[in-house]
Amino acid sequence: MKLTNPNEINVGVDTGKQQLDFYVRPSGTAFSVDNSKAGITSAVKQLKSIQPTRVVIEATGRLERDFVCAAQQAGLAVSVANPTHVRKFAQATGRLAKTDALDAAAIAHFAEALKPRATPPKSQQTRQISDLLVRRSQLLEMATMEKNRLAIMPDTLRTTIQRHLKYLDAEIAKLDTRLDRLIDKSPGWSDTRDVLMSTKGVGKVLTYTLLSELPELGHLNRKQIAALVGVAPMNKESEAFKGKRKIRGGRYRIRTVLFMATLSAIQCNPKIKRTYQRLIAAGKVPKVALVACMRKLLTILNVMVKNRTPWNPELV
């Protein structure tokens, strides 16, 4: 158990579209700034004056990014926390009311009690890749919706839908070109890309997602990397009770892309296909077999990146 250090200063930050709310423990100081360039500059200046041990902010998707970048550039130890973890911690400590100020206080308490590690800063290139991948996913989602409409809308509207699909396909192709150019500029990244894409079933989307969202790939063991992504089954046992093992937590975005890649690998990658067929033959339900294949594919890629070697069917 981690003990509270009275000399530590922990700051919780609640993120809103228009405003950032701060709470400092143990002093109880609270302040708010606009979630703008000027407001963030002011907040970072105030934080540097108190020299906090850590600053914890919830991951919201995009709203926290400008503050996190500015704080990291100023040398502050910033941890981007999973909102679910913070929410469950607040509930466990009896905090049921919810306001921006109370949320900031709850995050500060979470920081003090659990002492999360600082989130490594991302390079500008990494952030650009991440932004392009998010936009690519958005365009793919729009294309899927349009394809669904194409099947149900009257013939008189097919032309406009097809025209929009053609536009979306062109935009996706442009994003792919930009992603390729960004990766090509970095020899280290391009080498890792080539290693990953030597695997059947692993395309650009999974490759670029792993490069931007999973820098730990190749630096952890198989159990650690599986747990980090959220494809490691967790026990649910107590005395005589034996519950089903389930995956939980982890990096949802990576897991989603890995899921789609594994569906492809089951069809075209002999090793992953055999694993899936063996599990189904053993009586595993398709979902469990698929998650096991996701875990196997991830751990194989982890070994490949670690050893800087292309796909080898003998890897386990």
Side-chain angles (χ1 to χ4, degrees):
M1 180 178 177
K2 298 176 181 179
L3 300 178
T4 300
N5 184 341
N7 296 320
E8 286 190 350
I9 297 175
N10 291 276
V11 179
V13 189
D14 181 70
T15 313
K17 186 175 182 179
Q18 305 295 335
Q19 182 173 293
L20 298 172
D21 290 275
F22 296 79
Y23 188 91
V24 183
R25 285 178 71 100
S27 68
T29 304
F31 63 94
S32 301
V33 299
D34 291 338
N35 193 358
S36 62
K37 185 175 181 179
I40 289 171
T41 300
S42 173
V44 169
K45 184 177 180 180
Q46 292 184 66
L47 292 176
K48 288 189 69 176
S49 69
I50 63 175
Q51 297 183 337
T53 307
R54 65 184 60 82
V55 179
V56 177
I57 188 170
E58 289 180 318
T60 62
R62 314 299 293 174
L63 298 178
E64 82 285 355
R65 193 179 70 168
D66 288 345
F67 169 78
V68 170
C69 292
Q72 288 176 333
Q73 289 173 1
L76 295 171
V78 182
S79 176
V80 181
N82 185 318
T84 300
H85 296 168
V86 177
R87 183 167 62 253
K88 289 185 176 180
F89 176 84
Q91 292 171 348
T93 56
R95 288 181 178 270
L96 301 179
K98 182 175 175 61
T99 66
D100 293 342
L102 289 175
D103 286 347
I107 297 170
H109 191 187
F110 171 89
E112 181 182 84
L114 300 185
K115 307 183 190 307
R117 293 181 179 179
T119 300
K122 289 185 177 182
S123 67
Q124 182 179 3
Q125 184 186 41
T126 301
R127 292 197 298 271
Q128 286 180 321
I129 291 173
S130 180
D131 289 342
L132 290 173
L133 285 169
V134 169
R135 183 55 182 161
R136 191 182 192 278
S137 295
Q138 292 170 344
L139 293 175
L140 284 172
E141 185 177 352
M142 283 189 279
T144 299
M145 290 189 291
E146 286 290 68
K147 289 175 183 177
N148 291 337
R149 295 185 186 107
L150 193 62
I152 61 174
M153 297 301 286
D155 292 343
T156 54
L157 296 176
R158 291 179 65 88
T159 301
T160 181
I161 297 174
Q162 290 171 336
R163 185 164 57 246
H164 192 206
L165 280 170
K166 185 177 180 180
Y167 166 78
L168 292 173
D169 288 342
E171 289 299 305
I172 291 170
K174 290 177 183 178
L175 289 180
D176 286 343
T177 299
R178 291 177 64 184
L179 282 165
D180 287 336
R181 288 175 179 171
L182 278 173
I183 297 297
D184 287 338
K185 290 180 181 178
S186 173
W189 282 44
S190 59
D191 290 345
T192 303
R193 175 195 60 190
D194 295 342
V195 166
L196 292 171
M197 291 190 65
S198 68
T199 309
K200 289 185 177 180
V202 176
K204 289 183 178 180
V205 177
L206 177 59
T207 295
Y208 291 162
T209 299
L210 293 176
L211 287 174
S212 64
E213 306 292 338
L214 193 62
E216 298 89 350
L217 191 68
H219 300 284
L220 300 177
N221 63 40
R222 58 190 303 163
K223 291 184 179 180
Q224 291 171 327
I225 202 71
L228 190 62
V229 174
V231 292
M234 301 296 179
N235 291 336
K236 190 175 182 181
E237 302 176 356
S238 178
E239 295 185 355
F241 174 77
K242 303 292 183 181
K244 291 183 178 180
R245 301 172 77 200
K246 297 181 179 180
I247 61 172
R248 64 180 66 183
R251 299 181 184 175
Y252 175 79
R253 174 172 164 72
I254 298 174
R255 193 165 61 249
T256 301
V257 177
L258 180 63
F259 173 84
M260 299 304 298
T262 305
L263 286 176
S264 174
I266 287 172
Q267 301 298 321
C268 66
N269 188 309
K271 190 172 188 66
I272 303 301
K273 184 177 183 178
R274 285 195 301 270
T275 299
Y276 182 78
Q277 292 174 337
R278 174 176 55 80
L279 292 169
I280 293 297
K284 300 295 184 183
V285 299
K287 184 177 181 180
V288 171
L290 181 58
V291 171
C293 289
M294 290 169 62
R295 183 166 59 253
K296 189 173 189 68
L297 178 58
L298 177 65
T299 54
I300 289 176
L301 295 176
N302 188 53
V303 173
M304 290 168 57
V305 173
K306 180 179 181 179
N307 297 333
R308 314 301 295 176
T309 55
W311 170 257
N312 179 353
E314 301 304 317
L315 282 172
V316 296

